[in-house]
Amino acid sequence: MKLDNATVLRLAEHLENCELQARDTLKITDDHPDMDWDDAYAIQDAIKARKLGRGHKVAGLKAGLTSHAKMKQMGVDTPCFGFVADAHAVPDGGEIKVSELIHPKVEPEICFVTKRALRGPGCHIGAVLAATDFVMPGIEVIDSRYRDFKFDLKSVIADNTSAARFAVGGRVRSVGEVDLRTLGVVLEVNGEIKSLGAGAAVLGHPAAAVAMLANHLGSRGEEIPAGTLILSGGITEAVAVKAGDNVALRIQGLGSVSLRFI
Ligand code: 0L1
Ligand code: MG
């Protein structure tokens, strides 16, 4: 670690206040160019501790930047990991107030719910599929706290990977019922198709993103507990949304989930 504890806590407070007050900031590596990966995750952990300290719960885990479309869009070459909180959860078909966000974008994701714990190192797709209770469609709303989404990977990790809102819904399926690589995904805004893809866009197989998350947590002495919701990452590039937009995600065999931005 390159940052002292007081700096980690101060940056966590700053970034979480930006989230809660819907105001943007410059990327934190501008002032802390030497911060390392441990610093970045320590700031994210401190944001989590702040939320838990106010009585919130972790609602799930997320892998971000897991498709080449997303990596290319954001100019990075490695996935990252974060969490979603109960306050981020929106019911299927629910409303999101744009005034509570900075510059929201939506991402189509395949979500996993585990029935057994997963712990790296050595976690692989087979272990993930064996430990998965079911999969379902999810829309993740990302809202980087960094001005104009201009950041680097360490700044993004510290900012809890831009987590802002999410909705899951549709049909739950066991992984034996579907081939997650070839599932077609359609994201519509106001009835117009905005992006298309297939599950394999996420690291060749969305379960690979979950395995990578388990291995990342394993390197920190943590695991994915049984019963965890995991957002495996955007299958296409993220799509900017504004007040008045109706967003619908359809995933072949998994039904649909929708959100309204007001
Ligand atoms: O969930 C994601 O893929 C978001 C990762 C963070 C980068 C971004 O804000 O696009
Ligand atoms: Mg995402």
Side-chain angles (χ1 to χ4, degrees):
M1 300 246 326
K2 298 281 185 343
L3 301 181
D4 59 37
N5 193 44
T7 306
V8 167
L9 296 180
R10 183 173 54 74
L11 290 170
E13 180 178 10
H14 172 60
L15 288 172
E16 205 211 7
N17 282 342
C18 287
E19 177 196 345
L20 299 176
Q21 296 161 14
R23 59 183 168 81
D24 65 11
T25 185
L26 297 177
K27 67 181 193 300
I28 58 173
T29 48
D30 287 354
D31 283 339
H32 302 279
D34 296 333
M35 65 179 267
D36 63 20
W37 301 104
D38 288 338
D39 294 319
Y41 278 107
I43 295 165
Q44 184 191 115
D45 286 346
I47 291 174
K48 188 194 297 172
R50 290 176 62 82
K51 292 185 186 302
L52 296 179
R54 293 198 305 274
H56 287 293
K57 298 267 186 305
V58 171
L61 303 177
K62 61 167 283 190
L65 302 170
T66 50
S67 71
H68 290 295
K70 277 277 327 192
M71 289 189 221
K72 186 167 170 224
Q73 182 182 35
M74 302 326 299
V76 303
D77 56 10
T78 321
C80 54
F81 306 102
F83 69 92
V84 285
D86 52 356
H88 295 147
V90 181
D92 183 9
E95 291 179 346
I96 293 178
K97 286 190 184 140
V98 170
S99 60
E100 293 177 357
L101 300 170
I102 304 162
H103 41 198
K105 295 182 183 179
V106 290
E107 300 189 329
E109 309 215 3
I110 292 173
C111 301
F112 291 68
V113 174
T114 55
K115 60 184 172 194
R116 285 200 292 276
L118 279 166
R119 190 178 190 108
C123 186
H124 50 75
I125 291 175
V128 172
L129 296 179
T132 298
D133 199 356
F134 54 83
V135 290
M136 64 200 305
I139 301 173
E140 185 184 16
V141 181
I142 54 166
D143 192 37
S144 174
R145 269 54 72 169
Y146 298 118
R147 192 157 304 158
D148 301 326
F149 273 84
K150 289 209 174 82
F151 47 61
D152 51 30
L153 205 49
K154 287 174 190 161
S155 297
V156 167
I157 290 165
D159 183 32
N160 189 24
T161 64
S162 311
R165 300 284 186 277
F166 73 96
V168 290
R171 297 182 64 178
V172 302
R173 293 277 202 177
S174 73
V175 288
E177 292 177 294
V178 287
D179 180 351
L180 294 176
R181 295 167 304 171
T182 55
L183 287 188
V185 172
V186 177
L187 183 74
E188 295 174 358
V189 180
N190 303 326
E192 188 186 330
I193 295 175
K194 288 288 180 184
S195 61
L196 303 158
V202 169
L203 298 173
H205 193 305
V210 181
M212 209 180 233
L213 169 64
N215 290 326
H216 160 75
L217 291 175
S219 72
R220 312 178 79 219
E222 298 169 30
E223 64 179 19
I224 302 175
T228 301
L229 171 73
I230 302 153
L231 282 60
S232 63
I235 288 163
T236 68
E237 72 280 10
V239 174
V241 286
K242 58 183 184 330
D245 283 347
N246 291 301
V247 176
L249 166 64
R250 304 175 204 290
I251 301 189
Q252 190 183 3
L254 297 183
S256 61
V257 53
S258 65
L259 283 173
R260 293 196 302 132
F261 288 83
I262 59 170

